[in-house]
Amino acid sequence: MKYPIGIQDFEKLRKGNYLYVDKTDLIYRMVTEGSYYFLSRPRRFGKSLLISTLEVYFRGMKEFFEGLRIMELEKEWAEYPVLHLDLNTEKYATGVDLENKLDLFLKQCEAKYGKNPDEYSLATRFEGVIRRASEKTGRNAVILVDEYDKPLLQAIGNEALQDDYRNTMKAFYGALKSMDRYIKFALLTGVTKFGKVSVFSDLNNLRDISMLRAYESICGITEEELYSVFEEDIRALGKENDMTEEETKTRLKELYDGYHFNEKCVDIYNPFSILNTFVNKKFGNYWFETGTPTYLVELLKKNKSSIEELDGIEIDGKMLESIDTTSQNPIPVIYQSGYLTIKGYDKEFETYILGYPNKEVEKGFINFILPFYATLKNKNSGFEIKSFVKEIESGNTDAFMKRLQSFFADTPYELVRDLELHYQNVMFILFKLLGFYTQAEYHTSEGRIDMVVKTQDYVYVMEFKLDGTAEEAMRQIESKDYPLPFECEGRKLVKLGVNFSNEKRNVERWIVSF
């Protein structure tokens, strides 16, 4: 079987006899039930392939759909003029970058459908191209926009540049409404749905299918598709890794499944990770390693977010479905980018409960953000964590506390006012990465333990103070009987009282008791 790793062109995929998970019945539903659509999905989820498939379909290239479901549905196979704008191929760093990209797109369209010198702006040129494409071919135009939000995402944190891009997009996409009588079909895709951009505020006939059950599986792989299309691959993967078929399925599920795009959504597997796993016959963090979501980290730090609270956070439904580019709340962006997914829904209050979709995303995200919060001597988080693990497993408390001090070294002065949250985030990230049982603010009948860490041989009960004393922290552990729930577990109990200092911006002192 040939796997289409990195192939986003439907024509190339079909010519090369690559594997294709058939979504054409959903595509037919789209084109026959409506005209204007928007779809949000995380990166590497098949949005570009969907756009390419629609382009081949609207060009009437019937031969590429042989053997697919749409052949039983479509009877006409008419050819339409297709205007395909891909915004994913540019790095948007200045105000002119977006304008240059749109200008190039329009020049290519004008070379095919003609140009009017009186059309001077990007918006009027777009209107003219749409009209002439329709008039020249005798059929209304199809508009396909891939990754419409790439400029806005890259400008997160730069309000002036975001403003510039918003104004450009507002005028440009306004042409879709004014040229409605010349348009057969339009689909815009992106990672996020930004509100207050005219694509959504002015185009009141644009149908957002991102959270609709009818289209929940249009990108990604369902469990039914995984078990039917990849039946032989699952067995081969298991054999290569000395696992039974059921063990292989379980491992695939915990690593790559768990995406939900509405409150009743079937489980969706990450297609990029699934394909890479089968072609390599090896489990890995494929999706996360293809991108570095630095804008997400900047949002988290800027908005003083607690990393621990991301998993299980609750958010208003309206806020989740549309993002205001001026908003300071990072959670909707993190959700739509694929790092959080829907885990539950409160119907009464119309709020969603979010969490990490799977182990690949959780581990990858936590590992990625560590260098943004902690100082790493070797700039190698893997080496630092490995050393940290060995020290904790061996009960070498002083060694791992000294390493912890190094993680907090050189804390930026701008964090002084938020040191407590900064400490909490670093501690949570570190112990989450260790892969041990870790629970911050562990509840007992006598109070809350700041952190509990379990290894094969040890249980660490930790209490932290900010501008207090290590002795105070230890007294609280003792007086509240925090170790009591763990005394019968057969592990060696380690009590650790730690004091952080605002002045030193680091761990000041710690006390260990056994």
Side-chain angles (χ1 to χ4, degrees):
M1 186 179 292
K2 295 173 68 176
Y3 301 95
I5 305 293
I7 297 177
Q8 301 173 342
D9 184 277
F10 181 73
E11 185 176 342
K12 179 180 178 180
L13 184 149
R14 297 292 284 174
K15 279 182 178 178
N17 293 315
Y18 287 94
L19 169 77
Y20 177 69
V21 179
D22 193 355
K23 306 285 186 178
T24 56
D25 53 333
L26 295 178
I27 288 174
Y28 182 79
R29 176 187 290 179
M30 283 179 66
V31 300
T32 54
E33 289 186 354
S35 298
Y36 292 85
Y37 291 94
F38 170 77
L39 175 69
S40 166
R41 284 294 182 270
R43 60 183 174 80
R44 299 282 189 171
F45 247 76
K47 299 188 299 297
S48 296
L49 179 59
L50 173 62
I51 289 283
S52 177
T53 307
L54 281 162
E55 182 172 5
V56 174
Y57 165 78
F58 276 114
R59 285 181 173 167
M61 302 166 76
K62 178 181 178 180
E63 65 272 21
F64 291 104
F65 294 88
E66 290 293 338
L68 300 181
R69 295 178 193 137
I70 200 170
M71 290 297 291
E72 301 174 3
L73 302 169
E74 182 58 75
K75 306 301 179 185
E76 295 184 10
W77 295 100
E79 182 179 358
Y80 296 86
V82 178
L83 307 181
H84 179 181
L85 171 60
D86 183 0
L87 290 175
N88 195 42
T89 57
E90 183 65 61
K91 182 178 181 180
Y92 301 94
T94 68
V96 298
D97 291 339
L98 176 58
E99 292 183 6
N100 290 341
K101 180 67 178 178
L102 297 178
D103 177 61
L104 177 61
F105 162 71
L106 291 171
K107 283 177 178 176
Q108 293 168 341
C109 295
E110 289 164 345
K112 189 172 184 178
Y113 299 112
K115 180 178 180 180
N116 185 339
D118 293 329
E119 296 164 357
Y120 59 91
S121 69
L122 294 171
T124 55
R125 288 169 63 194
F126 193 26
E127 289 175 342
V129 162
I130 294 171
R131 183 179 63 254
R132 286 190 294 276
S134 176
E135 292 173 346
K136 187 174 182 178
T137 62
R139 294 186 182 274
N140 282 358
V142 172
I143 315 295
L144 302 174
V145 181
D146 197 7
E147 305 290 0
Y148 93 96
D149 56 346
K150 181 76 175 288
L152 293 171
L153 282 174
Q154 293 201 341
I156 281 181
N158 186 334
E159 293 183 12
L161 189 56
Q162 280 236 339
D163 222 29
D164 196 355
Y165 287 159
R166 268 198 308 272
N167 291 334
T168 299
M169 295 171 75
K170 181 178 176 64
F172 187 78
Y173 291 124
L176 296 182
K177 186 171 186 178
S178 61
M179 291 290 107
D180 175 59
R181 63 187 180 279
Y182 298 107
I183 296 175
K184 161 71 176 176
F185 180 90
L187 171 65
L188 293 87
T189 71
V191 171
T192 55
K193 179 182 175 181
F194 283 107
K196 297 195 174 179
V197 178
S198 67
V199 178
F200 308 110
S201 59
D202 292 350
L203 284 179
N204 50 19
N205 57 345
L206 187 70
R207 187 183 181 197
D208 182 4
I209 60 173
S210 304
M211 299 183 74
L212 295 184
R213 293 203 68 191
Y215 296 101
E216 63 190 16
S217 63
I218 197 165
C219 291
I221 298 172
T222 67
E223 193 157 87
E224 182 182 352
E225 290 168 338
L226 179 69
Y227 291 169
S228 59
V229 177
F230 299 95
E231 184 178 6
E232 293 181 9
D233 304 86
I234 292 172
R235 293 196 188 101
L237 177 66
K239 185 177 180 181
E240 183 70 20
N241 290 273
D242 299 318
M243 301 168 71
T244 67
E245 184 174 340
E246 285 307 310
E247 287 173 338
T248 307
K249 288 179 178 179
T250 299
R251 185 65 173 154
L252 288 169
K253 189 175 187 66
E254 68 180 11
L255 279 177
Y256 310 126
D257 190 20
Y259 291 90
H260 303 125
F261 302 112
N262 57 65
E263 64 273 20
K264 294 183 178 180
C265 183
V266 297
D267 283 358
I268 304 291
Y269 287 74
N270 186 314
F272 185 78
S273 293
I274 286 292
L275 292 176
N276 274 279
T277 299
F278 286 140
V279 76
N280 295 323
K281 290 186 171 58
K282 182 180 178 181
F283 298 101
N285 298 321
Y286 299 106
W287 179 77
F288 205 94
E289 289 172 356
T290 62
T292 52
T294 53
Y295 64 87
L296 297 180
V297 180
E298 294 306 318
L299 277 175
L300 287 169
K301 293 180 75 173
K302 182 179 179 182
N303 297 288
K304 302 167 186 168
S305 301
S306 168
I307 304 301
E308 181 194 352
E309 292 176 358
L310 291 180
D311 194 16
I313 196 166
E314 197 165 352
I315 187 169
D316 181 81
K318 292 183 177 63
M319 185 178 294
L320 191 64
E321 294 175 25
S322 181
I323 301 167
D324 178 355
T325 54
T326 62
S327 173
Q328 300 301 305
N329 187 348
I331 303 305
V333 182
I334 296 173
Y335 159 74
Q336 292 188 351
S337 298
Y339 301 97
L340 294 175
T341 196
I342 296 171
K343 294 289 188 178
Y345 182 68
D346 188 320
K347 189 174 182 180
E348 181 180 358
F349 295 98
E350 297 183 340
T351 57
Y352 291 96
I353 299 168
L354 307 181
Y356 298 110
N358 51 52
K359 291 297 183 184
E360 180 193 18
V361 174
E362 181 178 22
K363 183 179 179 182
F365 186 70
I366 295 295
N367 191 58
F368 174 75
I369 64 179
L370 175 60
F372 290 88
Y373 284 86
T375 303
L376 303 179
K377 290 179 181 178
N378 303 306
K379 302 300 179 186
N380 184 339
S381 59
F383 174 80
E384 295 284 350
I385 291 297
K386 184 178 179 180
S387 301
F388 203 37
V389 169
K390 288 182 176 179
E391 290 159 359
I392 291 178
E393 284 181 332
S394 63
N396 194 343
T397 312
D398 284 337
F400 81 69
M401 284 304 299
K402 287 176 182 176
R403 190 173 300 279
L404 188 62
Q405 277 185 318
S406 73
F407 289 148
F408 286 109
D410 303 320
T411 301
Y413 279 101
E414 61 265 25
L415 288 176
V416 169
R417 293 182 180 177
D418 306 300
L419 271 181
E420 188 167 8
L421 177 61
H422 179 66
Y423 294 150
Q424 289 172 356
N425 280 335
V426 175
M427 294 294 287
F428 179 78
I429 293 167
L430 285 171
F431 286 106
K432 193 75 173 175
L433 282 174
L434 296 180
F436 301 132
Y437 171 90
T438 306
Q439 186 168 349
E441 296 193 343
Y442 186 99
H443 288 258
T444 73
S445 59
E446 296 295 327
R448 295 183 305 178
I449 309 172
D450 280 343
M451 189 165 288
V452 174
V453 178
K454 294 183 180 182
T455 72
Q456 184 175 345
D457 300 314
Y458 293 88
V459 177
Y460 294 89
V461 177
M462 307 181 187
E463 186 67 28
F464 307 113
K465 294 296 179 184
L466 179 60
D467 283 336
T469 67
E471 286 80 4
E472 286 180 67
M474 184 59 72
R475 281 197 296 271
Q476 184 167 331
I477 293 174
E478 300 284 5
S479 65
K480 298 283 188 179
D481 285 330
Y482 287 162
L484 192 60
F486 315 105
E487 288 180 348
C488 297
E489 292 192 2
R491 297 179 176 95
K492 188 170 183 178
L493 192 61
V494 182
K495 294 171 282 188
L496 186 59
V498 182
N499 184 58
F500 290 95
S501 168
N502 257 316
E503 183 181 353
K504 293 182 178 181
R505 290 178 293 127
N506 207 319
V507 176
E508 178 197 43
R509 188 166 176 268
W510 64 87
I511 297 177
V512 182
S513 176
F514 300 96

